[in-house]
Short mmCIF file of all heavy atoms in Angstrom, two decimals:
data_model
loop_
_atom_site.label_atom_id
_atom_site.label_comp_id
_atom_site.label_asym_id
_atom_site.label_seq_id
_atom_site.Cartn_x
_atom_site.Cartn_y
_atom_site.Cartn_z
N ILE H 142 15.78 -6.94 -74.73
CA ILE H 142 16.40 -7.82 -75.73
C ILE H 142 15.47 -8.16 -76.90
O ILE H 142 15.87 -8.13 -78.05
CB ILE H 142 16.93 -9.17 -75.07
CG1 ILE H 142 17.99 -8.92 -73.99
CG2 ILE H 142 17.47 -10.10 -76.17
CD1 ILE H 142 18.41 -10.13 -73.27
N THR H 143 14.23 -8.31 -76.53
CA THR H 143 13.22 -8.55 -77.57
C THR H 143 13.06 -7.39 -78.55
O THR H 143 13.02 -7.52 -79.72
CB THR H 143 11.81 -8.81 -76.90
OG1 THR H 143 11.97 -10.02 -76.12
CG2 THR H 143 10.75 -9.07 -77.97
N ALA H 144 13.15 -6.17 -77.99
CA ALA H 144 12.95 -4.98 -78.79
C ALA H 144 14.18 -4.72 -79.67
O ALA H 144 14.14 -4.32 -80.76
CB ALA H 144 12.70 -3.75 -77.92
N GLN H 145 15.43 -5.12 -79.06
CA GLN H 145 16.59 -4.87 -79.78
C GLN H 145 16.88 -5.91 -80.91
O GLN H 145 17.43 -5.59 -81.97
CB GLN H 145 17.84 -4.94 -78.80
CG GLN H 145 19.18 -4.60 -79.38
CD GLN H 145 20.26 -4.51 -78.40
OE1 GLN H 145 19.99 -4.44 -77.20
NE2 GLN H 145 21.54 -4.47 -78.84
N THR H 146 16.47 -7.15 -80.65
CA THR H 146 16.85 -8.18 -81.67
C THR H 146 15.69 -8.49 -82.56
O THR H 146 15.78 -9.26 -83.47
CB THR H 146 17.17 -9.55 -80.89
OG1 THR H 146 16.11 -10.01 -79.97
CG2 THR H 146 18.47 -9.31 -80.06
N HIS H 147 14.47 -7.98 -82.20
CA HIS H 147 13.18 -8.32 -82.88
C HIS H 147 12.78 -9.77 -82.92
O HIS H 147 12.12 -10.28 -83.80
CB HIS H 147 13.35 -7.83 -84.40
CG HIS H 147 13.73 -6.41 -84.53
ND1 HIS H 147 12.79 -5.35 -84.22
CD2 HIS H 147 14.86 -5.77 -84.95
CE1 HIS H 147 13.38 -4.23 -84.50
NE2 HIS H 147 14.68 -4.43 -84.92
N LEU H 148 13.32 -10.44 -81.84
CA LEU H 148 12.87 -11.84 -81.63
C LEU H 148 11.64 -11.90 -80.87
O LEU H 148 11.22 -10.89 -80.16
CB LEU H 148 14.03 -12.63 -81.00
CG LEU H 148 15.32 -12.73 -81.65
CD1 LEU H 148 16.31 -13.48 -80.85
CD2 LEU H 148 15.11 -13.53 -82.96
N HIS H 149 10.91 -13.08 -80.87
CA HIS H 149 9.75 -13.21 -80.02
C HIS H 149 10.17 -13.28 -78.52
O HIS H 149 11.30 -13.86 -78.24
CB HIS H 149 8.98 -14.52 -80.41
CG HIS H 149 7.59 -14.57 -79.89
ND1 HIS H 149 7.32 -14.94 -78.66
CD2 HIS H 149 6.47 -14.18 -80.49
CE1 HIS H 149 6.01 -14.96 -78.48
NE2 HIS H 149 5.40 -14.47 -79.55
N ALA H 150 9.30 -12.85 -77.68
CA ALA H 150 9.63 -12.86 -76.30
C ALA H 150 9.90 -14.30 -75.78
O ALA H 150 10.67 -14.57 -74.87
CB ALA H 150 8.53 -12.20 -75.47
N ASP H 151 9.17 -15.25 -76.28
CA ASP H 151 9.25 -16.66 -75.87
C ASP H 151 10.61 -17.13 -76.27
O ASP H 151 11.31 -18.00 -75.57
CB ASP H 151 8.19 -17.60 -76.47
CG ASP H 151 6.79 -17.18 -75.98
OD1 ASP H 151 6.80 -16.63 -74.78
OD2 ASP H 151 5.86 -17.58 -76.54
N THR H 152 11.19 -16.72 -77.42
CA THR H 152 12.49 -17.17 -77.98
C THR H 152 13.56 -16.63 -76.95
O THR H 152 14.48 -17.39 -76.62
CB THR H 152 12.76 -16.63 -79.32
OG1 THR H 152 11.70 -17.21 -80.22
CG2 THR H 152 14.05 -17.08 -79.86
N VAL H 153 13.48 -15.38 -76.60
CA VAL H 153 14.44 -14.76 -75.69
C VAL H 153 14.40 -15.51 -74.35
O VAL H 153 15.46 -15.80 -73.86
CB VAL H 153 14.13 -13.28 -75.45
CG1 VAL H 153 15.10 -12.67 -74.48
CG2 VAL H 153 14.26 -12.51 -76.84
N ARG H 154 13.22 -15.73 -73.83
CA ARG H 154 13.11 -16.38 -72.48
C ARG H 154 13.61 -17.74 -72.50
O ARG H 154 14.34 -18.26 -71.60
CB ARG H 154 11.62 -16.27 -72.02
CG ARG H 154 11.42 -16.96 -70.62
CD ARG H 154 10.02 -16.66 -70.12
NE ARG H 154 8.99 -17.19 -71.06
CZ ARG H 154 8.32 -16.42 -71.88
NH1 ARG H 154 8.44 -15.09 -71.83
NH2 ARG H 154 7.39 -16.94 -72.71
N THR H 155 13.29 -18.51 -73.55
CA THR H 155 13.72 -19.94 -73.68
C THR H 155 15.21 -19.98 -73.88
O THR H 155 15.85 -20.89 -73.29
CB THR H 155 12.99 -20.55 -74.84
OG1 THR H 155 11.58 -20.58 -74.67
CG2 THR H 155 13.39 -22.03 -75.03
N SER H 156 15.79 -19.07 -74.59
CA SER H 156 17.26 -19.07 -74.91
C SER H 156 18.03 -18.92 -73.60
O SER H 156 19.02 -19.53 -73.30
CB SER H 156 17.60 -18.09 -75.87
OG SER H 156 16.97 -18.27 -77.12
N ARG H 157 17.51 -17.95 -72.82
CA ARG H 157 18.19 -17.71 -71.49
C ARG H 157 18.13 -18.89 -70.60
O ARG H 157 19.10 -19.31 -69.90
CB ARG H 157 17.55 -16.53 -70.73
CG ARG H 157 17.75 -15.19 -71.56
CD ARG H 157 17.25 -14.05 -70.81
NE ARG H 157 18.01 -13.78 -69.59
CZ ARG H 157 18.07 -12.55 -69.02
NH1 ARG H 157 17.47 -11.53 -69.59
NH2 ARG H 157 18.86 -12.34 -68.04
N GLY H 158 16.93 -19.57 -70.57
CA GLY H 158 16.77 -20.77 -69.77
C GLY H 158 17.66 -21.91 -70.18
O GLY H 158 18.25 -22.58 -69.37
N ARG H 159 17.71 -22.08 -71.49
CA ARG H 159 18.59 -23.18 -72.00
C ARG H 159 20.03 -22.98 -71.70
O ARG H 159 20.72 -23.93 -71.34
CB ARG H 159 18.39 -23.33 -73.55
CG ARG H 159 17.02 -23.95 -73.87
CD ARG H 159 16.76 -23.93 -75.34
NE ARG H 159 17.68 -24.85 -76.07
CZ ARG H 159 17.51 -25.29 -77.34
NH1 ARG H 159 16.46 -24.88 -77.95
NH2 ARG H 159 18.41 -26.06 -77.88
N PHE H 160 20.51 -21.73 -71.79
CA PHE H 160 21.88 -21.46 -71.47
C PHE H 160 22.15 -21.68 -69.97
O PHE H 160 23.22 -22.16 -69.55
CB PHE H 160 22.23 -20.03 -71.91
CG PHE H 160 23.69 -19.68 -71.58
CD1 PHE H 160 24.73 -20.12 -72.38
CD2 PHE H 160 23.95 -18.91 -70.41
CE1 PHE H 160 26.06 -19.80 -72.00
CE2 PHE H 160 25.28 -18.60 -70.10
CZ PHE H 160 26.34 -18.98 -70.92
N ALA H 161 21.17 -21.19 -69.10
CA ALA H 161 21.38 -21.36 -67.66
C ALA H 161 21.46 -22.77 -67.26
O ALA H 161 22.21 -23.07 -66.31
CB ALA H 161 20.18 -20.61 -66.96
N HIS H 162 20.81 -23.69 -67.89
CA HIS H 162 20.78 -25.13 -67.54
C HIS H 162 21.85 -25.95 -68.24
O HIS H 162 22.30 -26.91 -67.67
CB HIS H 162 19.43 -25.70 -67.76
CG HIS H 162 18.29 -25.26 -66.87
ND1 HIS H 162 17.57 -24.11 -67.23
CD2 HIS H 162 17.85 -25.76 -65.67
CE1 HIS H 162 16.67 -23.96 -66.23
NE2 HIS H 162 16.87 -24.84 -65.34
N GLY H 163 22.26 -25.46 -69.45
CA GLY H 163 23.17 -26.36 -70.20
C GLY H 163 24.37 -25.64 -70.81
O GLY H 163 25.18 -26.27 -71.39
N GLY H 164 24.45 -24.36 -70.59
CA GLY H 164 25.60 -23.65 -71.12
C GLY H 164 25.60 -23.48 -72.62
O GLY H 164 24.55 -23.57 -73.30
N ILE H 165 26.81 -23.29 -73.20
CA ILE H 165 26.89 -23.11 -74.67
C ILE H 165 26.34 -24.29 -75.44
O ILE H 165 25.62 -24.14 -76.46
CB ILE H 165 28.35 -22.83 -75.04
CG1 ILE H 165 28.85 -21.52 -74.44
CG2 ILE H 165 28.53 -22.76 -76.53
CD1 ILE H 165 28.14 -20.29 -74.89
N PRO H 166 26.62 -25.60 -75.09
CA PRO H 166 26.08 -26.72 -75.86
C PRO H 166 24.60 -26.70 -75.97
O PRO H 166 23.97 -27.22 -76.95
CB PRO H 166 26.62 -27.93 -75.18
CG PRO H 166 27.85 -27.41 -74.45
CD PRO H 166 27.56 -26.01 -74.00
N ALA H 167 23.86 -26.14 -74.99
CA ALA H 167 22.45 -26.16 -75.00
C ALA H 167 21.85 -25.19 -76.02
O ALA H 167 20.61 -25.28 -76.33
CB ALA H 167 21.93 -25.82 -73.62
N LEU H 168 22.62 -24.35 -76.58
CA LEU H 168 22.12 -23.37 -77.59
C LEU H 168 21.91 -24.07 -78.96
O LEU H 168 21.25 -23.54 -79.81
CB LEU H 168 23.03 -22.21 -77.76
CG LEU H 168 23.25 -21.31 -76.49
CD1 LEU H 168 24.27 -20.22 -76.74
CD2 LEU H 168 21.91 -20.78 -76.04
N ALA H 169 22.60 -25.20 -79.16
CA ALA H 169 22.51 -25.87 -80.50
C ALA H 169 21.15 -26.51 -80.53
O ALA H 169 20.37 -26.71 -79.60
CB ALA H 169 23.59 -26.96 -80.58
N ASP H 170 20.72 -26.83 -81.83
CA ASP H 170 19.47 -27.47 -82.03
C ASP H 170 19.46 -28.87 -81.43
O ASP H 170 20.40 -29.63 -81.51
CB ASP H 170 19.19 -27.57 -83.63
CG ASP H 170 18.94 -26.25 -84.28
OD1 ASP H 170 18.65 -25.28 -83.46
OD2 ASP H 170 19.13 -26.16 -85.45
N ARG H 171 18.36 -29.17 -80.81
CA ARG H 171 18.19 -30.47 -80.17
C ARG H 171 17.80 -31.56 -81.25
O ARG H 171 17.30 -31.21 -82.28
CB ARG H 171 17.08 -30.43 -79.09
CG ARG H 171 17.53 -29.47 -77.91
CD ARG H 171 16.44 -29.35 -76.90
NE ARG H 171 16.74 -28.57 -75.71
CZ ARG H 171 15.97 -28.12 -74.88
NH1 ARG H 171 14.60 -28.52 -74.92
NH2 ARG H 171 16.27 -27.41 -73.85
N LYS H 172 18.16 -32.71 -80.93
CA LYS H 172 17.84 -33.83 -81.80
C LYS H 172 16.34 -34.01 -81.85
O LYS H 172 15.61 -33.85 -80.81
CB LYS H 172 18.48 -35.18 -81.35
CG LYS H 172 19.95 -35.14 -81.41
CD LYS H 172 20.57 -36.46 -81.06
CE LYS H 172 22.07 -36.49 -81.17
NZ LYS H 172 22.65 -37.78 -80.77
N ARG H 173 15.82 -34.31 -83.02
CA ARG H 173 14.39 -34.58 -83.20
C ARG H 173 14.17 -36.06 -83.55
O ARG H 173 15.02 -36.76 -84.11
CB ARG H 173 13.89 -33.73 -84.38
CG ARG H 173 14.04 -32.20 -84.08
CD ARG H 173 13.52 -31.37 -85.21
NE ARG H 173 13.66 -29.95 -85.05
CZ ARG H 173 13.33 -29.01 -85.89
NH1 ARG H 173 12.79 -29.32 -87.04
NH2 ARG H 173 13.55 -27.67 -85.54
N SER H 174 12.99 -36.49 -83.14
CA SER H 174 12.76 -37.91 -83.28
C SER H 174 12.77 -38.33 -84.74
O SER H 174 13.55 -39.09 -85.24
CB SER H 174 11.44 -38.25 -82.60
OG SER H 174 10.38 -37.45 -83.14
N GLY H 175 11.81 -37.84 -85.48
CA GLY H 175 11.73 -38.09 -86.87
C GLY H 175 11.44 -39.58 -87.23
O GLY H 175 11.36 -40.37 -86.32
N ARG H 176 11.33 -39.90 -88.45
CA ARG H 176 11.05 -41.28 -88.87
C ARG H 176 12.38 -42.03 -88.97
O ARG H 176 13.33 -41.55 -89.46
CB ARG H 176 10.44 -41.21 -90.21
CG ARG H 176 9.97 -42.60 -90.71
CD ARG H 176 9.19 -42.57 -91.99
NE ARG H 176 10.16 -42.13 -93.15
CZ ARG H 176 9.81 -42.02 -94.38
NH1 ARG H 176 8.56 -42.24 -94.67
NH2 ARG H 176 10.60 -41.60 -95.31
N PRO H 177 12.43 -43.26 -88.46
CA PRO H 177 13.62 -44.03 -88.56
C PRO H 177 14.06 -44.33 -89.96
O PRO H 177 13.19 -44.28 -90.87
CB PRO H 177 13.28 -45.27 -87.74
CG PRO H 177 11.87 -45.40 -87.79
CD PRO H 177 11.27 -43.97 -87.82
N ALA H 178 15.30 -44.54 -90.17
CA ALA H 178 15.77 -44.83 -91.49
C ALA H 178 15.13 -46.12 -92.02
O ALA H 178 14.92 -47.06 -91.29
CB ALA H 178 17.32 -45.02 -91.48
N ARG H 179 14.83 -46.05 -93.30
CA ARG H 179 14.18 -47.28 -93.95
C ARG H 179 15.13 -48.45 -94.01
O ARG H 179 14.82 -49.58 -93.82
CB ARG H 179 13.74 -46.94 -95.32
CG ARG H 179 12.81 -48.01 -96.02
CD ARG H 179 12.41 -47.51 -97.33
NE ARG H 179 11.54 -46.34 -97.21
CZ ARG H 179 10.21 -46.50 -97.06
NH1 ARG H 179 9.61 -47.69 -96.96
NH2 ARG H 179 9.44 -45.41 -96.93
N PHE H 180 16.38 -48.11 -94.30
CA PHE H 180 17.42 -49.19 -94.38
C PHE H 180 18.49 -48.86 -93.34
O PHE H 180 19.15 -47.88 -93.42
CB PHE H 180 18.08 -49.22 -95.73
CG PHE H 180 17.07 -49.57 -96.82
CD1 PHE H 180 16.49 -48.64 -97.56
CD2 PHE H 180 16.80 -50.94 -97.12
CE1 PHE H 180 15.65 -48.92 -98.63
CE2 PHE H 180 15.89 -51.18 -98.14
CZ PHE H 180 15.30 -50.27 -98.85
N PRO H 181 18.69 -49.74 -92.40
CA PRO H 181 19.70 -49.45 -91.29
C PRO H 181 21.12 -49.85 -91.76
O PRO H 181 21.76 -50.75 -91.41
CB PRO H 181 19.27 -50.43 -90.19
CG PRO H 181 18.58 -51.56 -90.91
CD PRO H 181 17.98 -50.92 -92.13
N VAL H 182 21.59 -48.91 -92.67
CA VAL H 182 22.92 -49.05 -93.15
C VAL H 182 23.76 -47.82 -92.90
O VAL H 182 23.18 -46.75 -92.65
CB VAL H 182 22.91 -49.31 -94.78
CG1 VAL H 182 22.21 -50.64 -95.02
CG2 VAL H 182 22.22 -48.18 -95.42
N THR H 183 25.05 -47.96 -92.95
CA THR H 183 25.98 -46.80 -92.75
C THR H 183 26.19 -46.04 -94.05
O THR H 183 25.98 -46.59 -95.11
CB THR H 183 27.30 -47.28 -92.23
OG1 THR H 183 27.89 -48.06 -93.21
CG2 THR H 183 27.12 -48.16 -90.95
N PRO H 184 26.67 -44.76 -93.93
CA PRO H 184 26.95 -44.02 -95.17
C PRO H 184 27.99 -44.73 -96.11
O PRO H 184 27.95 -44.66 -97.30
CB PRO H 184 27.44 -42.75 -94.66
CG PRO H 184 26.85 -42.55 -93.29
CD PRO H 184 26.84 -44.00 -92.71
N ILE H 185 28.90 -45.47 -95.44
CA ILE H 185 29.89 -46.21 -96.21
C ILE H 185 29.28 -47.29 -96.98
O ILE H 185 29.57 -47.47 -98.21
CB ILE H 185 30.99 -46.81 -95.27
CG1 ILE H 185 31.76 -45.68 -94.57
CG2 ILE H 185 31.93 -47.71 -96.05
CD1 ILE H 185 32.55 -44.84 -95.55
N GLN H 186 28.36 -47.94 -96.42
CA GLN H 186 27.67 -49.06 -97.21
C GLN H 186 26.84 -48.53 -98.36
O GLN H 186 26.75 -49.06 -99.46
CB GLN H 186 26.70 -49.88 -96.23
CG GLN H 186 27.44 -50.75 -95.22
CD GLN H 186 26.57 -51.32 -94.25
OE1 GLN H 186 25.74 -50.68 -93.68
NE2 GLN H 186 26.79 -52.65 -93.97
N VAL H 187 26.14 -47.39 -98.13
CA VAL H 187 25.42 -46.78 -99.13
C VAL H 187 26.37 -46.28 -100.33
O VAL H 187 26.03 -46.53 -101.56
CB VAL H 187 24.64 -45.49 -98.63
CG1 VAL H 187 23.99 -44.69 -99.80
CG2 VAL H 187 23.63 -45.88 -97.64
N ALA H 188 27.50 -45.71 -99.98
CA ALA H 188 28.50 -45.30 -101.04
C ALA H 188 28.97 -46.52 -101.73
O ALA H 188 29.23 -46.47 -102.94
CB ALA H 188 29.53 -44.49 -100.44
N GLU H 189 29.26 -47.65 -101.08
CA GLU H 189 29.74 -48.87 -101.74
C GLU H 189 28.70 -49.35 -102.70
O GLU H 189 29.06 -49.90 -103.82
CB GLU H 189 30.13 -49.92 -100.72
CG GLU H 189 31.36 -49.49 -99.91
CD GLU H 189 31.61 -50.46 -98.77
OE1 GLU H 189 30.73 -51.27 -98.51
OE2 GLU H 189 32.77 -50.44 -98.23
N ASP H 190 27.48 -49.33 -102.35
CA ASP H 190 26.40 -49.71 -103.29
C ASP H 190 26.37 -48.88 -104.54
O ASP H 190 26.22 -49.40 -105.67
CB ASP H 190 25.04 -49.62 -102.60
CG ASP H 190 24.86 -50.75 -101.53
OD1 ASP H 190 25.67 -51.71 -101.50
OD2 ASP H 190 23.98 -50.58 -100.68
N LYS H 191 26.64 -47.56 -104.32
CA LYS H 191 26.65 -46.64 -105.51
C LYS H 191 27.89 -46.97 -106.39
O LYS H 191 27.87 -46.76 -107.52
CB LYS H 191 26.64 -45.17 -105.00
CG LYS H 191 25.35 -44.74 -104.37
CD LYS H 191 25.43 -43.27 -104.05
CE LYS H 191 24.07 -42.82 -103.41
NZ LYS H 191 24.11 -41.39 -102.96
N ALA H 192 28.92 -47.41 -105.65
CA ALA H 192 30.16 -47.76 -106.46
C ALA H 192 29.89 -48.89 -107.41
O ALA H 192 30.33 -48.93 -108.54
CB ALA H 192 31.27 -48.05 -105.44
N VAL H 193 29.08 -49.89 -106.91
CA VAL H 193 28.70 -50.99 -107.84
C VAL H 193 27.91 -50.51 -109.00
O VAL H 193 28.10 -50.88 -110.11
CB VAL H 193 27.92 -52.03 -107.04
CG1 VAL H 193 27.42 -53.15 -107.91
CG2 VAL H 193 28.78 -52.68 -105.94
N ALA H 194 27.02 -49.50 -108.68
CA ALA H 194 26.08 -49.01 -109.77
C ALA H 194 26.95 -48.23 -110.87
O ALA H 194 26.55 -48.11 -111.98
CB ALA H 194 25.04 -48.14 -109.21
#
Side-chain angles (χ1 to χ4, degrees):
I142 296 176
T143 299
Q145 182 174 348
T146 60
H147 303 289
L148 298 175
H149 195 277
D151 292 341
T152 301
V153 175
R154 182 171 56 255
T155 302
S156 300
R157 297 184 69 154
R159 289 176 63 166
F160 179 80
H162 290 87
I165 297 296
L168 298 178
D170 291 340
R171 295 174 178 174
K172 293 183 178 180
R173 300 179 181 179
S174 56
R176 186 178 65 179
R179 186 179 297 273
F180 297 96
V182 295
T183 64
I185 296 297
Q186 291 173 314
V187 174
E189 289 174 347
D190 290 344
K191 292 183 179 180
V193 174

